[in-house]
Amino acid sequence: MAVAPSSSSSELPDECWESIFKHTNNPHDHESLSLVSKQFLSFINRIHTHLIISDGVLPLLPALLRRFTTLTSIKVTHYFTGDIDALLSQIASFNLPSLHSLDISKLRTFPSHGLRQFSQKFPTLKSFICYSTRPDLVLIAECFPNLEEIDMSYPLPGLVFEIKALTSGLKKLRKVDLSGTYFLEDSSIFTLCHNCVSLEALVVHDASSFSNIGIANAIRQRPQLRSLAVRRGNVTSELIDAFVSLKDLTCLDLSESHISDEALCALAEGGLPLRELCLDNCKGYGFDGISCLLRKCNNLQCLGLQGTEFLNDECVIDLSLLLGNLNVVKLNRNDNLTDLSLFAIMCNCPLITKIWMERTSVGKHKLEENCLVVNSHLKFLYLAWNSWLDDGSITMLASVCPNLEMIDLGESCGRISKGAIDVLWRCCKIQRMDLYGIGRDLSQFQFRVNFEVPTFFVLNLSSCSISDEELSLLSKSCYNLKELTLDFCGEITANGGKAGGEKLQATKNDKFAVL
């Protein structure tokens, strides 16, 4: 005889509900879900882990800190005009046992008193971000001895950098950003790498006071480094030899440097287990050097080749054959790249999820749809500032990228109208679109969405000629829309904007603004 399960045994465990809410497509829906029951409210409260504090948030801060007790990180915006010392003291009066990260970047006043109060409540803080400030390193080391990450890049003039005080007090540092510290000497970075025995990631962009030999000697002190970002005028053999000595190096950023083919080939011979490589705006190398490196680093997942002088479609087609595990690629500001490059990546890199090809020539070389392969992994596509794009190009993309969640066509939509509608129709998971200037170069333009798009949340239609009628139809079809930007849309009347806004507010109780 079968026994029906009790209501308690058939309920999902709390861990399952939390996992479901964490993967909700649109976080804006959390507030609606929190109204369902006290149990759902509790789940929603627990999954909100990040808080950004601005002047507008300040009056609500006590209520927010009482509600979201599982916060892990707090960021104070750089345009915060209140008393930062008082703010940190106020935060310290609440119980936030999971808090481990604080960001006070770009604040003109370094809150020494507030940090002392804050540290008494949160002495185990792990991450402290204070770029573009004038940090007191002695105070930081005293207050937060358990720090694992510190970003003190691009400090304000007049800072006295007590690097020894920092490294002697922070034995657990794992990641340090010293970018823009133009007044430090080679001995400083050597001391850092020598003393911080747990260091795994180092960033030294725009630190012109360090010599190549100084950086090379320093990183040899920490052979366990996994991530290194070094923006140099010239990548010398001393640096390459030091890089090769880092046998666990998985992330290397050499953007805006001068590096030769010989240097890249020497790097390839080192057999490093690179997963991320950034050569944005680098000079001095060519196809031979980068292809040599990619043949050896065949597990690369993220590649940046923005602003590369020699790059063309033929190069990208050949390189894509070496990138079977690639997830993310950035190819912005390469004028010689067309549709051939874009579709080669989509075809030869089956795991690709994000492609940046802004300011290229995508749309110039039309391809036949029956020659293309569907890529079900691609979710994010950034094609802003591509003036060759037209409806045919966008419709073809929509047909072979069925799982797109976001497409950015900003500043490139002058000849696009129906193509954007096809994306909404064909891509059933689409959530965000930037269509700034859509239809601007067309004598006749209509943006009529007369079918439901339940997954759609964010849309930018600024500088387009959308009418009151089209706006009303949009609000009915995209009934989950949360953000709609309509800057410089001159054909929308006050009544049209009000009608659209009322519809959206009535549907989801969210803000709607014609800016």
Side-chain angles (χ1 to χ4, degrees):
M1 178 178 175
V3 179
S6 66
S7 59
S8 59
S9 63
S10 62
E11 291 178 353
L12 285 174
D14 288 357
E15 294 80 6
C16 292
W17 279 117
E18 288 189 32
S19 180
I20 291 171
F21 290 148
K22 286 179 180 178
H23 290 86
T24 302
N25 283 337
N26 183 18
H28 288 91
D29 287 334
H30 288 169
E31 285 306 301
S32 300
L33 289 169
S34 68
L35 299 175
V36 173
S37 67
K38 289 183 178 180
Q39 184 187 30
F40 278 22
L41 174 63
S42 175
F43 295 148
I44 295 298
N45 291 349
R46 289 205 292 267
I47 66 175
H48 280 273
T49 58
H50 307 283
L51 178 63
I52 300 176
I53 300 175
S54 60
D55 288 350
V57 171
L58 202 56
L60 304 173
L61 187 59
L64 293 173
L65 295 178
R66 280 192 294 268
R67 177 180 176 185
F68 301 115
T69 58
T70 58
L71 287 177
T72 60
S73 68
I74 291 178
K75 173 182 174 61
V76 183
T77 60
H78 67 274
Y79 43 84
F80 178 77
T81 61
D83 186 334
I84 181 63
D85 284 290
L87 173 64
L88 294 177
S89 298
Q90 181 183 19
I91 295 172
S93 66
F94 288 86
N95 184 31
L96 303 170
S98 301
L99 188 64
H100 61 71
S101 177
L102 176 65
D103 185 343
I104 58 168
S105 299
K106 294 186 177 181
L107 295 179
R108 291 292 174 178
T109 302
F110 192 74
S112 299
H113 175 72
L115 284 175
R116 290 188 185 280
Q117 296 290 105
F118 189 89
S119 67
Q120 292 178 14
K121 187 65 173 287
F122 308 109
T124 58
L125 197 74
K126 294 182 179 180
S127 174
F128 186 57
I129 304 172
C130 57
Y131 64 84
S132 294
T133 64
R134 193 175 289 109
D136 183 338
L137 302 189
V138 176
L139 174 67
I140 294 172
E142 290 177 355
C143 289
F144 307 113
N146 294 295
L147 278 184
E148 297 180 6
E149 174 183 353
I150 185 167
D151 181 349
M152 46 192 175
S153 58
Y154 303 98
L156 296 179
L159 174 67
V160 177
F161 227 82
E162 296 287 350
I163 196 74
K164 290 184 178 180
L166 182 76
T167 59
S168 62
L170 301 178
K171 298 296 186 181
K172 298 181 180 181
L173 278 180
R174 300 167 67 88
K175 180 179 181 180
V176 177
D177 192 337
L178 289 176
S179 299
T181 51
Y182 57 89
F183 46 82
L184 290 182
E185 299 177 350
D186 287 347
S187 59
S188 298
I189 192 171
F190 185 90
T191 299
L192 174 75
C193 290
H194 180 74
N195 290 350
C196 298
V197 295
S198 299
L199 195 65
E200 294 182 351
L202 178 64
V203 184
V204 284
H205 287 321
D206 303 323
S208 57
S209 60
F210 297 143
S211 69
N212 284 350
I213 294 178
I215 293 176
N217 289 336
I219 62 178
R220 284 195 179 97
Q221 301 298 307
R222 292 272 70 84
Q224 79 273 21
L225 279 175
R226 297 177 179 273
S227 178
L228 185 61
V230 182
R231 184 182 296 161
R232 306 299 296 167
N234 187 33
V235 179
T236 60
S237 58
E238 291 90 354
L239 278 178
I240 293 295
D241 290 343
F243 297 161
V244 171
S245 71
L246 306 175
K247 298 305 181 183
D248 295 324
L249 192 67
T250 58
C251 178
L252 180 61
D253 181 355
L254 299 175
S255 56
E256 300 186 23
S257 301
H258 187 282
I259 186 168
S260 66
D261 282 341
E262 292 75 16
L264 289 178
C265 290
L267 195 60
E269 291 304 315
L272 298 176
L274 291 179
R275 298 291 183 271
E276 299 179 29
L277 175 66
C278 182
L279 298 176
D280 292 345
N281 304 309
C282 284
K283 311 294 183 185
Y285 75 102
F287 178 78
D288 291 342
I290 186 63
S291 60
C292 176
L293 181 58
L294 295 185
R295 284 191 186 94
K296 293 289 186 177
C297 302
N298 50 19
N299 287 318
L300 210 64
Q301 296 174 0
C302 182
L303 176 63
L305 294 176
Q306 301 182 89
T308 305
E309 293 178 342
F310 68 87
L311 213 55
N312 57 31
D313 286 333
E314 184 179 356
C315 293
V316 172
I317 291 171
D318 289 342
L319 294 177
S320 67
L321 296 172
L322 308 173
L323 298 167
N325 293 307
L326 197 67
N327 300 140
V328 179
V329 65
K330 295 186 177 182
L331 298 171
N332 297 338
R333 302 187 302 280
N334 289 304
D335 292 339
N336 294 323
L337 303 188
T338 71
D339 310 61
L340 290 171
S341 294
L342 174 59
F343 288 107
I345 294 170
M346 291 169 53
C347 176
N348 297 327
C349 307
L351 302 180
I352 197 76
T353 58
K354 294 183 181 180
I355 299 177
W356 273 265
M357 287 189 68
E358 300 177 346
R359 295 185 184 274
T360 61
S361 295
V362 173
K364 186 176 183 179
H365 194 128
K366 300 294 188 288
L367 303 176
E368 296 294 330
E369 186 172 346
N370 57 9
C371 299
L372 304 178
V373 175
V374 173
N375 188 307
S376 58
H377 279 85
L378 189 62
K379 295 181 179 181
F380 304 91
L381 190 54
Y382 299 84
L383 298 175
W385 298 96
N386 278 291
S387 59
W388 289 96
L389 285 172
D390 57 16
D391 281 336
S393 304
I394 302 306
T395 297
M396 184 177 296
L397 280 170
S399 67
V400 295
C401 305
N403 293 322
L404 268 186
E405 295 180 7
M406 187 273 185
I407 187 167
D408 183 355
L409 303 170
E411 297 288 355
S412 62
C413 306
R415 297 188 293 157
I416 298 172
S417 58
K418 182 180 179 296
I421 306 297
D422 285 342
V423 172
L424 292 173
W425 173 253
R426 297 181 183 223
C427 302
C428 59
K429 296 182 180 180
I430 194 70
Q431 298 180 21
R432 305 168 66 94
M433 294 179 72
D434 188 336
L435 302 177
Y436 187 104
I438 186 174
R440 185 168 45 199
D441 301 331
L442 301 176
S443 57
Q444 292 185 339
F445 167 75
Q446 284 190 328
F447 191 77
R448 300 183 63 84
V449 185
N450 54 11
F451 51 89
E452 291 188 353
V453 192
T455 63
F456 201 42
F457 304 131
V458 181
L459 175 62
N460 183 3
L461 284 174
S462 298
S463 292
C464 76
S465 55
I466 188 171
S467 66
D468 288 351
E469 179 188 357
E470 291 164 318
L471 178 60
S472 177
L473 185 61
L474 177 68
S475 68
K476 295 175 183 177
S477 301
C478 305
Y479 47 81
N480 281 323
L481 201 61
K482 305 296 181 181
E483 299 178 25
L484 177 60
T485 306
L486 299 169
D487 295 332
F488 313 114
C489 293
E491 296 187 19
I492 297 178
T493 67
N495 290 334
K498 182 179 180 181
E502 288 175 350
K503 174 62 180 176
L504 288 172
Q505 287 178 331
T507 304
K508 296 299 293 183
N509 194 30
D510 284 309
K511 294 182 179 179
F512 171 85
V514 180
L515 304 176

